[in-house]
Amino acid sequence: MTQDTITAPVPTEPSAKEQPLIRVRSLKQYFNINTGFFQSRPLKAVDDISFDIRAGETLGLVGESGCGKTTAGRTILHLYQPTAGEIIYRGKTIRTREDVQEFRTHATMVFQDPYSSLDPRMTVEDIIGEPLDVHHIYRNPKERRERILELMEHVGLNSEHAARYAHEFSGGQRQRVGIARALAVSPDFIVCDEPVSALDVSIQAQVINMFDELQDKLGLTYLFIAHDLLVVRHISDRIAVMYLGKMVELADSGEIYSRPLHPYSKALMSAVPVPDPKAARANQRITLTGEIPSPLNAPGGCPFHTRCPYANARCTELMPEFRELEKGRFVACHRAEEING
Ligand SMILES: Nc1ncnc2c1ncn2[C@@H]1O[C@H](COP(=O)(O)OP(=O)(O)OP(=O)(O)O)[C@@H](O)[C@H]1O
Ligand code: SF4
Ligand SMILES: [Mg+2]
């Protein structure tokens, strides 16, 4: 069997009650990269990932820089047209341009950098009002204004901020403006792409708490992308780990921190500071050797084999299946049972 013949499995059908809000099926996003005179090669930024996001949950998405987190988030929202695969929202596959337009009124994104994602020449009122204008969400100027003030209140800004310009604000306040703008269409799903990474550490906790509160108040579902494993741990119900465009593990947040099963997750989690010394001893630090390969030259077989301390001959030849090792726990590793036995 070749690498290309194996596709990620489709998790078993859930009951109606736990119907996922979003289903991602065999999603691929390849970018064509020019490699020379009239020649190009696909860069497999996202390469066949499948998972569900349940209504009201926060799914954390982690992995090293360049592993495909942002591309996955953007492709799920159809900001990039998927190379292959499907996004199913509330049981309906998004296919046509109309489906995408409709989906965009339910799903949106908060970006990492509040400095570059907001136009500094626009007032806060204009920034938050823009999506209301685009989607014709109000009946008259009074209603528009009231909605903007309501959104500002949701994110802890007051009416005096409305006439001010984005460049007059601190990083934390700009991110609040960005979140209010994302909330304008009353979404139920938000891809949060490292929304606190650019903020001072002292502000990060406040903004994370705000995401938490907004989730409860507005019934939101998040795909929360982060570098900082402590940040995702705090906010996530489940965590997905990516490596070179693939998903390698998906588990409940507490489980993946206390008992990671994939060798790459083990290495990532062992770098997280643990306050309990007993747990710290059990969770010995694993230092990965070797550089992460370029996704333009991803190794065959298991993509992690060039850095994995457990790699054997099979790993260099055959791509491991992303399989449900325990209930609700998916791992892509040939040797998961042996290593964790
Ligand atoms: N528009 C694009 N065109 C070509 N290649 C791209 C494009 N966007 C991303 N890539 C490449 O796809 C791969 C995945 O990038 P992506 O930004 O999704 O990673 P990431 O996990 O979000 O990284 P980071 O943690 O640094 O934000 C990288 O190799 C990147 O260079
Ligand atoms: S399949 Fe092999 S190389 Fe890949 S993570 Fe498992 S043991 Fe390591
Ligand atoms: Mg990114």
Side-chain angles (χ1 to χ4, degrees), residues 262-263 302 304-305 308 310-312 315 320 332-335 339:
H262 191 282
C302 172
F304 189 52
H305 84 253
C308 180
Y310 305 98
N312 63 17
C315 305
C333 173
H334 295 306
R335 305 189 62 196
I339 292 167

Side-chain angles (χ1 to χ4, degrees), residues 307-327:
R307 298 168 83 196
C308 180
Y310 305 98
N312 63 17
R314 188 168 176 229
C315 305
T316 62
E317 284 160 17
L318 189 68
M319 169 98 72
E321 194 189 338
F322 189 57
R323 60 202 166 98
E324 193 167 17
L325 200 68
E326 296 168 10
K327 188 160 169 31

Side-chain angles (χ1 to χ4, degrees), residues 45-283:
V46 171
D47 195 14
D48 198 354
I49 60 174
S50 294
F51 58 100
D52 293 342
I53 308 178
R54 300 170 192 147
E57 85 164 334
T58 299
L59 178 67
L61 186 58
V62 302
E64 281 163 293
S65 182
C67 71
K69 304 179 295 295
T70 296
T71 306
R74 296 185 75 102
T75 310
I76 290 169
L77 291 181
H78 283 254
L79 295 172
Y80 295 142
Q81 173 68 22
T83 304
E86 287 186 337
I87 306 301
I88 302 157
Y89 171 73
R90 291 191 184 275
K92 183 172 187 285
T93 304
I94 298 161
R95 292 185 212 279
T96 64
R97 201 195 291 182
E98 289 71 34
D99 293 343
V100 172
Q101 273 168 359
E102 159 75 10
F103 182 49
R104 293 262 174 79
T105 65
H106 302 290
T108 181
M109 190 150 183
V110 172
F111 298 93
Q112 170 173 1
D113 186 355
Y115 292 87
S116 64
S117 61
L118 303 179
D119 185 338
R121 293 159 306 177
M122 285 168 79
T123 64
V124 167
E125 183 164 356
D126 292 338
I127 291 168
I128 301 173
E130 196 174 56
L132 297 176
D133 300 339
V134 169
H135 295 281
H136 312 292
I137 293 173
Y138 53 86
R139 280 172 297 195
N140 53 53
K142 182 167 170 280
E143 219 175 80
R144 181 181 187 271
R145 169 96 183 150
E146 281 170 2
R147 177 70 178 140
I148 290 169
L149 293 179
E150 183 191 27
L151 290 162
M152 290 175 64
E153 198 188 317
H154 278 328
V155 298
L157 296 171
N158 60 51
S159 56
E160 288 150 32
H161 293 124
R164 290 175 42 192
Y165 292 91
H167 69 80
E168 296 177 54
F169 287 123
S170 67
Q173 282 173 320
R174 283 186 215 210
Q175 194 52 292
R176 286 172 194 269
V177 175
I179 296 163
R181 179 184 161 96
L183 293 173
V185 295
S186 305
D188 49 18
F189 175 60
I190 305 183
V191 173
C192 309
D193 189 6
E194 310 224 23
V196 300
S197 308
L199 304 180
D200 286 351
V201 173
S202 57
I203 310 290
Q204 288 187 352
Q206 286 174 20
V207 176
I208 290 285
N209 285 339
M210 192 180 69
F211 273 104
D212 249 347
E213 285 163 20
L214 287 171
Q215 181 165 49
D216 289 346
K217 199 155 129 191
L218 305 174
L220 301 170
T221 302
Y222 297 139
L223 177 65
F224 203 98
I225 299 171
H227 258 115
D228 185 334
L229 294 171
L230 287 174
V231 165
V232 255
R233 178 182 191 164
H234 176 79
I235 197 164
S236 304
D237 300 296
R238 292 186 303 151
I239 306 260
V241 181
M242 279 185 78
Y243 187 80
L244 271 180
K246 303 267 185 204
M247 201 163 267
V248 298
E249 185 158 359
L250 172 63
D252 283 349
S253 173
E255 276 281 289
I256 207 164
Y257 281 92
S258 60
R259 200 171 60 93
L261 297 182
H262 191 282
Y264 179 61
S265 316
K266 286 179 193 289
L268 276 190
M269 301 308 161
S270 75
V272 180
V274 191
D276 171 6
K278 219 165 108 192
R281 267 198 305 279
N283 183 20

